């Protein structure tokens, strides 16, 4: 399977700091999808964003922004002015279009935002 | 907003026992999935299901596992004879269809299975 790498295992910041979570993916495909999911301490997986490989436009949603760069196979996630409620494990995932339906997840980055 | 639901939220069982984990996918979705997450590890794909049959399964999904859509709303994962290493959080997910905006898989809250 083509891997997703989240090199940061754990990150700890103080509230109001900005933080960037890195995601690097392997792909031999022309068309694929990338995702970010959030897993708060309660355990559920919450969908945050999906990106198609043909759409390199970066996206901002409130305090969240995503930087997709095909040239470096990266899809990084930035939280601006972090809050304690942002504390969670964040997973990056990929899926190939038209091929396997499965999501391939990275190992996740545990973010702790301290007051 | 429609959501995927799973029951039970927690299940404790003895090794060798059968367990059935239940899921109700989002009502207009056509593709269903099971994933698992061993404590502290990444989420791993088990199986996908479409049109009343398995469309893909991982090497984890051996003969001890089976899936079924017994009626129009439920989607179940059965583990026939549980092993200690089956202890994990099991997530159900569904998607409307592959391709475009319907590509996203939405996850349920999970069932935490503990095998003793």
């Amino acid at each position: 399977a083509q891997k997703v790498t989240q090199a940061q295992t754990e990150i700890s910041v103080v509230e109001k700091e900005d933080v960037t979570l890195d995601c690097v993916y392997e792909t031999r495909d022309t068309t694929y999808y990338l995702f970010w999911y959030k897993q708060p301490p309660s355990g559920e997986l919450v969908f945050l964003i999906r990106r198609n490989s043909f759409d390199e436009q970066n996206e901002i949603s409130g305090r969240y922004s995503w930087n997709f760069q095909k040239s470096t196979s990266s899809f990084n996630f930035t939280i601006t002015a972090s809050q304690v409620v942002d504390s969670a494990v964040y997973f990056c995932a990929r899926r190939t279009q038209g091929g396997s339906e499965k999501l391939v997840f990275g190992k996740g980055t545990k973010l702790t935002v301290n007051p | 907003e429609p959501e995927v639901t799973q029951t039970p939220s927690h299940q404790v069982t003895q090794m060798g026992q059968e367990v059935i984990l239940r899921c109700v996918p989002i009502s207009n979705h056509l593709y269903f999935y099971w994933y698992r997450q061993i404590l502290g590890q990444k989420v791993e794909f088990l199986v996908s299901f479409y049109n009343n049959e398995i469309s893909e399964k991982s090497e984890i999904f051996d003969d001890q596992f089976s899936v079924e859509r017994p009626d129009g709303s439920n989607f179940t994962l059965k583990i026939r004879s549980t092993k200690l290493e089956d202890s994990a959080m099991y997530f159900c997910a569904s998607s409307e269809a592959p391709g475009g905006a319907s590509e996203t898989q939405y996850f349920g809250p999970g069932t935490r299975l503990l095998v003793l």
Side-chain angles (χ1 to χ4, degrees):
Chain A
Q2 295 171 52
K3 282 172 39 178
V4 175
T5 300
Q6 295 180 253
Q8 304 148 308
T9 307
E10 292 193 44
I11 300 176
S12 183
V13 298
V14 177
E15 210 170 14
K16 297 184 184 167
E17 281 186 36
D18 299 347
V19 57
T20 295
L21 310 181
D22 298 333
C23 172
V24 175
Y25 59 91
E26 291 179 1
T27 186
R28 294 181 286 276
D29 308 303
T30 306
T31 307
Y32 50 89
Y33 296 93
L34 300 168
F35 303 81
W36 277 93
Y37 287 85
K38 174 182 179 180
Q39 187 176 40
S42 48
E44 71 271 28
L45 280 169
V46 179
F47 165 72
L48 294 177
I49 190 170
R50 185 192 80 250
R51 214 75 192 133
N52 306 332
S53 56
F54 46 86
D55 182 4
E56 275 193 84
Q57 214 172 14
N58 293 325
E59 183 154 335
I60 298 175
S61 175
R63 295 184 298 107
Y64 295 170
S65 62
W66 290 269
N67 183 4
F68 176 29
Q69 293 199 338
K70 287 175 77 170
S71 60
T72 55
S73 297
S74 65
F75 185 40
N76 297 335
F77 172 32
T78 298
I79 302 174
T80 303
S82 58
Q83 300 176 0
V84 172
V85 293
D86 295 328
S87 296
V89 180
Y90 291 86
F91 290 96
C92 181
R94 71 175 297 282
R95 212 211 96 155
T96 302
Q97 185 193 29
S100 167
E101 299 151 25
K102 67 182 180 187
L103 288 175
V104 174
F105 284 82
K107 291 185 177 181
T109 297
K110 182 179 181 181
L111 173 65
T112 302
V113 181
N114 298 298
Chain B
E1 187 170 321
E3 58 184 20
V4 178
T5 59
Q6 290 184 243
T7 54
S9 58
H10 293 79
Q11 174 125 22
V12 181
T13 190
Q14 296 291 323
M15 192 169 56
Q17 294 295 304
E18 174 184 287
V19 295
I20 297 176
L21 310 183
R22 292 184 166 79
C23 168
V24 179
I26 295 172
S27 61
N28 63 331
H29 285 189
L30 301 176
Y31 288 79
F32 314 117
Y33 312 85
W34 285 101
Y35 291 79
R36 79 170 187 192
Q37 184 184 30
I38 294 171
L39 187 64
Q41 298 187 23
K42 67 177 177 180
V43 180
E44 300 174 290
F45 170 80
L46 291 178
V47 65
S48 58
F49 191 87
Y50 169 68
N51 201 25
N52 280 318
E53 61 183 27
I54 290 173
S55 50
E56 185 177 359
K57 60 183 181 179
S58 72
E59 59 274 9
I60 303 168
F61 194 89
D62 61 23
D63 292 344
Q64 292 301 311
F65 291 89
S66 62
V67 290
E68 194 178 29
R69 188 151 162 85
D71 52 43
S73 57
N74 290 284
F75 179 50
T76 62
L77 174 68
K78 183 194 287 187
I79 309 175
R80 256 179 279 280
S81 177
T82 50
K83 303 189 277 281
L84 295 176
E85 54 265 37
D86 294 327
S87 296
M89 178 79 99
Y90 288 81
F91 290 104
C92 175
S94 68
S95 64
E96 194 174 341
S102 53
E103 177 64 38
T104 300
Q105 294 179 25
Y106 292 91
F107 284 77
T111 293
R112 190 170 293 284
L113 176 66
L114 178 61
V115 182
L116 301 176

